[in-house]
Amino acid sequence: MATNYSAVIQHRGKWWIGWVEEVPGVNSQGKTRRELLENLRDALDEALEMNRSEARAAAKGDYEEVGISA
């Protein structure tokens, strides 16, 4: 299931910089807008996978995964 996230991006000098609004700490930069967006996707994927791993490790014993939406 694909989830959409919002990124705030800005061109500053020679760099494009950006932040994913919904996930604290997910930010990146790139020399082009396209490179920035690719870097943000990679950073988001890594953060989500790390969060998943941490959540599963914190759940002791049997657990259930359920989908939720806001």
Side-chain angles (χ1 to χ4, degrees), residues 2-65:
T3 302
N4 290 315
Y5 295 89
S6 299
V8 174
I9 65 172
Q10 183 177 51
H11 191 227
R12 259 192 218 171
K14 295 182 179 183
W15 292 94
W16 283 85
I17 58 174
W19 305 262
V20 174
E21 292 180 333
E22 296 85 355
V23 185
V26 176
N27 55 76
S28 194
Q29 64 185 27
K31 291 183 179 180
T32 65
R33 185 179 186 274
R34 181 178 177 156
E35 182 181 36
L36 165 64
L37 294 175
E38 289 173 4
N39 292 344
L40 280 174
R41 284 185 199 97
D42 289 344
L44 178 60
D45 285 344
E46 289 174 16
L48 293 175
E49 187 52 43
M50 184 176 66
N51 289 349
R52 285 184 193 103
S53 295
E54 289 177 2
R56 291 173 182 145
K60 307 276 189 243
D62 293 336
Y63 66 89
E64 178 182 1
E65 290 186 41

